[in-house]
Amino acid sequence: PIGKRPIFTPKLLVELNGDQLTVSAPDAVMPLRRSRALTLKKIRFGVPAVSERHPIGQLQFNVSGRLRDGVSMLSTSPWRAEIPPDLIAALENRASGVLDGQLNVAIPLDGQSTAQRVVTGKVQIKDLRIADVVGRHDVTGGTVDLSLAAKSLNANGEMLIAGVATKLAWQYILDAPLESQPPVRVQASLDEGDRDKLGIKVNHILRGIVDVDISLIPRTGGGFGSKVRVDMTKAAIAIDSLAWLKPKGRLAQLDFDVVPGKKHPLLLDNLRVVGDGIAIQGTAMLNEAYDLRAFELPLFSIDRVTRLNLRGKLQRNNVWQVTVRGQTFEGRSLFRSLFDTGRAARAPKVPRSKQMGVDLEGEITTVLGFWNSKLSNVRISISKRQGRMQKLQFEGRLAGNALLKLSLIHI
């Protein structure tokens, strides 16, 4: 009665009490491929009214075995078509674990009824392992609880991805098209060590815990689309080249979609950062190792005054080439940083040998300074290596059109 797989049992009890049929067995096995099998226990099959025009049989049993064997059972079941093929392939080819649960199956018996086979019950998967679940990272352990209802499948659990604790939540609606399915949600809180394990190389500008919420959306053509939300409120963010620091506790939220790129393998599209006085929009490009390689931020506002357009590209010598254009820039923090040696203690600490170089060229219409001063038609050039200022060239027009030039060279 479960797909096309036969069930073998050494002992079977059949009872017919009036119009009620009951078939039970203490245990049984369901043979699978390559001498494998699933173990079934406490099997009971009952028909409350055999003489009804459209009788319904009720099958109950406990099942245990390896995860792949459970997936193999599903591969020949009538409801295989309801399960995303990418999920079936991933579980068959890259997953392992141990399952244990109880299932109930309502089975139309006359072949004429319009009623469909309905599966309900609960299954727990322990010691879950899945290879290459997120890029090159594996699920290295976890427990997932499955709840099967007449119209849906619900999955909730906890997993270790590359040794990082994550939570899983998913609901799959039977008979609904892929575009109507809720996303698979994966949540985690990542500190510096977690980000290192996952190969997310942002600790040079980010310090503290961030809460990550990933939504995996099934695609009609196969695979999943990804939407990512990162709450960075509890973390400190420092952009050293602009002398800007977001302290811990200041609201900041990052959203983006992960899509295949053209020049680079991964594109973070529809990228947005919103928060207390922060508004950033654009795209970012990553390589296969999730390393940032380029970005385009046509809207870059880190306070209520600054309005910039930023573009950056990482050169082969591990130096960022950054271009800045814009109407206004709040320049007091930048000017202060040129003489404030204590500021670095508030920013994320990274060894100088690991800090990337920066070559920044900027043209800004108006830069605001101290005592209500401002500079117009500003041109700025900054060069840093291993966190040290190598060159600074700055020029702009003061009130009255007087020209101000500043040049600093590290010797």
Side-chain angles (χ1 to χ4, degrees), residues 85-86 178-179 217-224:
D86 289 333
L178 280 177
E179 58 268 19
I217 304 169
R219 292 174 174 166
T220 304
F224 291 87

Side-chain angles (χ1 to χ4, degrees), residues 372-376 396-404:
N372 295 322
S373 63
K374 66 178 182 180
L375 291 170
S376 302
R397 294 283 176 176
L398 294 165
N401 206 34
L403 180 63
L404 172 66

Side-chain angles (χ1 to χ4, degrees), residues 38 65-73 91-92 95-99 123 125-130 146:
L38 279 173
R66 296 191 297 183
L67 174 60
R68 290 183 181 179
D69 295 339
V71 175
S72 182
M73 178 187 73
L91 293 176
E92 284 183 330
S96 65
V98 178
L99 62 85
V123 176
I125 303 172
K126 296 181 179 180
D127 195 24
L128 178 63
R129 299 174 184 274
I130 308 176
L146 304 178

Side-chain angles (χ1 to χ4, degrees), residues 90-363:
L91 293 176
E92 284 183 330
N93 301 322
R94 306 200 309 271
S96 65
V98 178
L99 62 85
D100 184 79
Q102 183 180 44
L103 296 178
N104 307 292
V105 188
I107 308 170
L109 299 177
D110 65 348
Q112 304 297 323
S113 173
T114 57
Q116 297 182 343
R117 185 173 304 193
V118 177
V119 182
T120 59
K122 296 182 181 296
V123 176
Q124 185 176 75
I125 303 172
K126 296 181 179 180
D127 195 24
L128 178 63
R129 299 174 184 274
I130 308 176
D132 302 327
V133 67
V134 180
R136 63 184 185 277
H137 300 304
D138 304 335
V139 171
T140 56
T143 299
V144 176
D145 293 310
L146 304 178
S147 177
L148 292 82
K151 295 295 183 180
S152 65
L153 167 66
N154 295 276
N156 292 277
E158 298 182 352
M159 305 179 297
L160 291 175
I161 299 178
V164 176
T166 63
K167 293 182 178 180
L168 170 72
W170 179 44
Q171 181 185 54
Y172 187 80
I173 302 173
L174 302 179
D175 297 324
L178 280 177
E179 58 268 19
S180 300
Q181 295 293 342
V184 181
R185 295 187 63 185
V186 179
Q187 298 175 312
S189 293
L190 307 180
D191 60 16
E192 290 86 347
D194 296 328
R195 295 192 289 269
D196 283 339
K197 291 177 183 178
L198 293 170
I200 304 174
K201 300 175 182 178
V202 295
N203 287 340
H204 60 291
I205 62 172
L206 186 65
R207 181 67 62 182
I209 296 175
V210 296
D211 296 321
V212 181
D213 190 335
I214 303 174
S215 295
L216 303 174
I217 304 169
R219 292 174 174 166
T220 304
F224 291 87
S226 300
K227 289 183 175 293
V228 181
R229 172 163 290 181
V230 184
D231 187 346
M232 303 182 291
T233 302
K234 294 181 288 187
I237 307 172
I239 303 177
D240 193 50
S241 298
L242 298 177
W244 178 75
L245 176 70
K246 183 204 83 69
K248 293 182 179 181
R250 182 180 175 187
L251 178 66
Q253 180 175 287
L254 166 67
D255 293 89
F256 58 86
D257 302 333
V258 182
V259 299
K262 295 181 179 179
K263 294 182 179 180
H264 299 84
L266 291 176
L267 175 68
L268 306 187
D269 201 13
N270 300 318
L271 186 151
R272 296 192 315 140
V273 181
V274 296
D276 184 7
I278 304 170
I280 300 172
Q281 294 181 9
T283 58
M285 285 65 82
L286 281 65
N287 63 10
E288 298 91 339
Y290 307 111
D291 298 328
L292 182 63
R293 281 295 180 263
F295 60 84
E296 297 179 1
L297 305 175
L299 173 60
F300 187 88
S301 177
I302 50 179
D303 51 54
R304 290 175 173 80
V305 174
T306 298
R307 296 292 185 273
L308 300 177
N309 181 325
L310 269 63
R311 295 175 180 268
K313 182 178 181 181
L314 186 63
Q315 305 298 314
R316 292 184 178 181
N317 58 355
N318 210 34
V319 174
W320 277 99
Q321 182 179 355
V322 180
T323 302
V324 179
R325 299 288 185 270
Q327 292 296 315
T328 56
F329 177 60
E330 167 57 79
R332 288 178 295 179
S333 294
L334 179 61
F335 294 141
R336 185 187 298 115
S337 71
L338 299 177
F339 307 100
D340 182 6
T341 58
R343 179 189 171 277
R346 302 196 300 270
K349 297 178 181 179
V350 178
R352 290 188 182 275
S353 60
K354 295 184 178 181
Q355 293 186 30
M356 296 180 180
V358 176
D359 287 336
L360 183 147
E361 299 288 337
E363 295 182 7

